[in-house]
Amino acid sequence: MASEKRRPRSEIDRVQGICHALRTAIIERALLPGDRLPEDALGERFGVSRTIARHALGQLAAEGLVDLRRNRIAVVVTPSFEDARDIFDIRVDLERQVVRHLAGKLTEPQVKQLKAIVEAEHEARHGAEGTSIRLATEFHVRLAEMTGKPILIRYVTEICYRAGLSLSAFARPHSSDCAVSEHLELIDAIRQGPAERACALMDEHLEAVASRALLQSAGARSRDLMNILAPYAD
């Protein structure tokens, strides 16, 4: 943390920009488990030095999304099935805390924000599967942000992205219709309370996501990092 404070603001912003782009590419399944992330290619794609690219990869490694191997080889993490199951179990516990903080306390503007994400999910249901997964993740991250609890926000955000990575490794097609209906039910349950009912609904939702998703890995496909990351470099 201290070393980050000593870095120039512009460098920190560039690192965060690359991290955001790579997280999005992972959650949208543009980057798949096992894809290599060479520092030189990232530097060229994002117009930064290899040092900045290295810092970004280090941050993503700390979040559990990137595996740093010997000789500075970085790859998107390939979680085991056991890891994926553990991630969803931990996610249930963390998001239960989110619900307890929010139950009966959501404001109308917050409800509108959440419903806007669900509406975007609805509109994206026939589009790219990765977009639907990203929006579903944003819904849960936004819920955590509404608690105003920095530590809870941090851990929920990280576990949601790691869950998204697990979906990339083991998922069958994401059920956007189920996500839309379940998210609408969650909004109503959290807004009305009590906390016990809302927590139970969150548990059911996340367990349903896991049971629908944690199946077999998708088949291999051709990978070209420069082309994959082109839409994310802006």
Side-chain angles (χ1 to χ4, degrees):
M1 188 69 70
S3 61
E4 181 172 291
K5 290 181 180 178
R6 288 196 294 268
R7 281 193 239 147
R9 183 74 250 171
S10 60
E11 182 177 327
I12 295 173
D13 289 343
R14 289 174 185 172
V15 168
Q16 294 307 316
I18 296 171
C19 287
H20 174 75
L22 294 181
R23 287 190 204 102
T24 303
I26 290 169
I27 206 71
E28 290 189 346
R29 302 178 75 178
L31 287 173
L32 295 178
D35 280 350
R36 292 168 64 99
L37 301 169
E39 293 173 4
D40 54 351
L42 291 178
E44 182 180 351
R45 179 76 275 173
F46 292 100
V48 299
S49 67
R50 291 183 62 167
T51 299
I52 290 177
R54 189 177 308 131
H55 285 311
L57 291 171
Q59 180 168 325
L60 293 174
E63 296 173 10
L65 298 178
V66 168
D67 184 14
L68 297 179
R69 300 176 179 174
R70 287 190 293 180
N71 301 320
R72 291 183 177 172
I73 295 174
V75 300
V76 178
V77 163
T78 301
S80 67
F81 188 88
E82 290 74 18
D83 289 341
R85 183 65 260 184
D86 288 346
I87 285 167
F88 271 90
D89 289 342
I90 293 168
R91 182 178 176 181
V92 167
D93 289 336
L94 286 172
E95 296 213 50
R96 192 180 291 138
Q97 293 297 318
V98 170
V99 170
R100 287 198 181 105
H101 283 294
L102 295 178
K105 300 175 185 176
L106 282 180
T107 65
E108 284 307 309
Q110 288 175 328
V111 170
K112 287 181 180 179
Q113 289 178 40
L114 293 170
K115 287 189 174 181
I117 297 175
V118 176
E119 179 61 27
E121 288 184 84
H122 177 74
E123 293 176 356
R125 68 193 187 284
H126 298 308
E129 182 184 352
T131 302
S132 177
I133 294 174
R134 173 178 57 79
L135 289 167
T137 301
E138 286 180 9
F139 175 87
H140 288 270
V141 171
R142 190 72 194 96
L143 271 176
E145 291 172 345
M146 288 176 177
T147 68
K149 303 284 187 181
I151 295 176
L152 186 58
I153 293 168
R154 173 185 171 184
Y155 285 113
V156 169
T157 300
E158 289 187 9
I159 205 70
C160 282
Y161 276 97
R162 292 188 71 172
L165 175 59
S166 297
L167 298 185
S168 293
F170 297 103
R172 66 183 175 185
H174 175 68
S175 177
S176 54
D177 288 330
C178 290
V180 167
S181 62
E182 290 168 12
H183 285 171
L184 287 173
E185 290 176 6
L186 274 170
I187 293 171
D188 287 340
I190 295 171
R191 177 172 59 179
Q192 295 173 14
E196 291 76 13
R197 174 177 174 271
C199 284
L201 196 60
M202 178 65 84
D203 290 357
E204 291 175 11
H205 167 58
L206 294 178
E207 185 57 43
V209 171
S211 64
R212 286 194 297 262
L214 298 183
L215 297 175
Q216 293 183 353
S217 138
R221 56 190 170 107
S222 176
R223 320 297 297 146
D224 184 326
L225 187 65
M226 295 296 282
N227 289 334
I228 289 168
L229 291 178
Y232 302 92
D234 297 333

